[in-house]
Amino acid sequence: MKFIFFYIAFAVLLLSSCGTRKYSKNNKQIEKAANKANNNTYKSYNTLSYIDEFKAVAIEEMNSDGIPASITLAQGILESGSGNSDLAKYANNHFGIKCTSEWKGKNYFRDDDQKNDCFRVYKDARESFRDHSEFLKRKRYSFLFQLDRNDYKSWAQGLKTAGYATNPKYPDLLIGVIEKYQLYQYDQPESEKQKIAREDRVFTQINQNIPKEKEKFAPVETPPPGAKPILADGTYTVVKGDTLYNIAKRFNLSVDELKMLNEMTSDGIRLDQVLKVK
C-alpha cells in the first residue's frame, strides 16, 4: 500500500514538473520573439510616460464603446505596473486578460489565481486595449454602458459591483489614480443623440455575446492536475513580473494592507522576496 501511494505521489510530481517545463519553454519562445521584434530594447515607462503613450488609444476606445478613457488608462496603470510588467513587455497584455476556449492566439503563462495560469499574447498594445473593451461587453457589465462616458466615479464603483475585482477598495484605487494624474481630462461628454446611437451599437454586441459568453470569456483550466495554489503558510514569494498591486489583488488585499502586513514603507519589491499575505 505504501508503495502504491509513493508511486502515485511520484507520478503527480513528475507530471507537474513536465508541465512546468512545458510552460517555461513556451514563455522563453514568446520572450525570444518579443526581444527580436524590439531589437532587445524595451521602452521603460513611468506613469506619466505611460499615459502619454496610450492616452490616444484609450480615447479611441472611449469614442467607440463609451468606456471612459480615464478608467481604461487607470486600469492599465494598475494591471501592468505602468507597462513594465513581463506580461505587458513580452505579451503586450496590459489588462491581465486570460486565455479562453475560443482564443486562437499565442499564450504566456504566469502564476496568478493558480499556478501557470494562461494569459493572452497580443501582437501589440493597441490590440490589448481593444480586447479589454470587448472583455467588458457582456451581460454582467452591461449596465455600465448606460452611464455617461465621462462619469468615471460611477464606472469605478460599477466595476466593483459587477465583480471585476474582489478588492473592496478597487474603486478607490482607480479613482485615486485618475485624480492623481488628472486622467479625467481625457474623458469627453457626448450628446444625447450620440449616446443613444452608441448604446444601440454596444447593446447589440452585448446581446450577440450572451449565448457564447462562457466560450468567449471563461478562462481555460491550464494548470496541471494537482497543482497547488501558490499561497503557502500565509506567505508568497515574489516572482519575475510581479507588482505590488497584482499581488495584493490576487490575495484580496489592498496595497496598503499588504504593506502593513510586511512593514513596508515603499512600493518596491524584489525577486524572491517573501511576503505575508494573510
Side-chain angles (χ1 to χ4, degrees):
M1 188 71 178
K2 288 182 178 179
F3 176 77
I4 294 174
F5 177 78
F6 174 79
Y7 178 79
I8 292 172
F10 178 76
V12 169
L13 182 63
L14 185 63
L15 285 171
S16 178
S17 176
C18 290
T20 299
R21 286 199 297 270
K22 179 183 73 174
Y23 300 134
S24 177
K25 182 178 179 181
N26 173 87
N27 283 3
K28 286 180 180 177
Q29 291 174 341
I30 295 296
E31 290 165 8
K32 183 179 179 180
N35 285 329
K36 184 178 180 181
N38 290 281
N39 296 316
N40 292 309
T41 58
Y42 286 92
K43 191 170 183 178
S44 180
Y45 296 102
N46 57 40
T47 303
L48 290 176
S49 63
Y50 182 86
I51 293 165
D52 191 56
E53 180 80 13
F54 297 110
K55 63 185 180 184
V57 67
I59 291 170
E60 185 178 314
E61 292 304 312
M62 175 183 64
N63 290 334
S64 173
D65 295 327
I67 304 165
S70 60
I71 287 289
T72 299
L73 284 169
Q75 288 189 294
I77 289 165
L78 291 173
E79 296 283 353
S80 73
S82 296
N84 294 305
S85 70
D86 282 356
L87 201 57
K89 286 198 303 183
Y90 299 126
N92 288 312
N93 190 330
H94 288 241
F95 300 93
I97 296 180
K98 295 182 179 180
C99 307
T100 61
S101 58
E102 71 142 19
W103 176 247
K104 306 303 181 186
K106 295 180 180 179
N107 310 320
Y108 192 80
F109 297 93
R110 275 192 55 203
D111 293 348
D112 193 58
D113 296 321
Q114 302 185 74
K115 191 174 180 64
N116 292 317
D117 266 343
C118 179
F119 291 86
R120 297 181 177 193
V121 176
Y122 300 103
K123 64 181 181 181
D124 54 38
R126 179 179 290 274
E127 191 178 63
S128 174
F129 276 72
R130 177 89 289 267
D131 206 28
H132 169 260
S133 298
E134 292 299 316
F135 177 83
L136 292 176
K137 286 193 285 191
R138 47 179 157 159
K139 188 176 180 180
R140 66 190 288 191
Y141 300 116
S142 59
F143 68 95
L144 292 169
F145 292 92
Q146 294 176 313
L147 297 170
D148 291 337
R149 67 183 192 184
N150 59 345
D151 188 359
Y152 66 89
K153 290 184 178 179
S154 294
W155 262 88
Q157 295 293 339
L159 284 168
K160 173 63 176 65
T161 300
Y164 185 92
T166 56
N167 186 342
K169 294 187 177 180
Y170 187 68
D172 297 330
L173 290 171
L174 284 177
I175 292 170
V177 170
I178 289 169
E179 295 185 343
K180 179 178 180 180
Y181 296 101
Q182 300 179 16
L183 301 181
Y184 47 75
Q185 67 182 295
Y186 305 117
D187 296 339
Q188 301 163 358
E190 56 191 340
S191 68
E192 189 65 25
K193 183 177 180 181
Q194 288 173 322
K195 184 177 180 182
I196 291 171
R198 188 259 302 165
E199 286 180 350
D200 284 348
R201 183 176 66 257
V202 171
F203 277 98
T204 297
Q205 294 169 348
I206 290 173
N207 289 332
Q208 289 172 343
N209 281 333
I210 288 174
K212 48 187 178 180
E213 279 194 358
K214 186 174 182 181
E215 180 183 2
K216 286 177 69 70
F217 303 116
V220 295
E221 294 291 335
T222 55
K228 302 294 183 183
I230 51 180
L231 180 63
D233 300 325
T235 62
Y236 171 75
T237 301
V238 176
V239 298
K240 188 178 180 182
D242 272 333
T243 65
L244 201 64
Y245 172 76
N246 284 339
I247 295 170
K249 180 181 174 184
R250 197 175 310 157
F251 297 108
N252 197 23
L253 297 167
S254 70
V255 172
D256 287 340
E257 287 169 338
L258 183 59
K259 289 168 70 173
M260 286 177 61
L261 274 174
N262 294 276
E263 299 180 352
M264 298 171 64
T265 57
S266 72
D267 292 349
I269 54 175
R270 64 181 186 278
L271 193 65
D272 296 326
Q273 181 178 354
V274 177
L275 298 174
K276 295 178 184 177
V277 291
K278 72 174 185 178

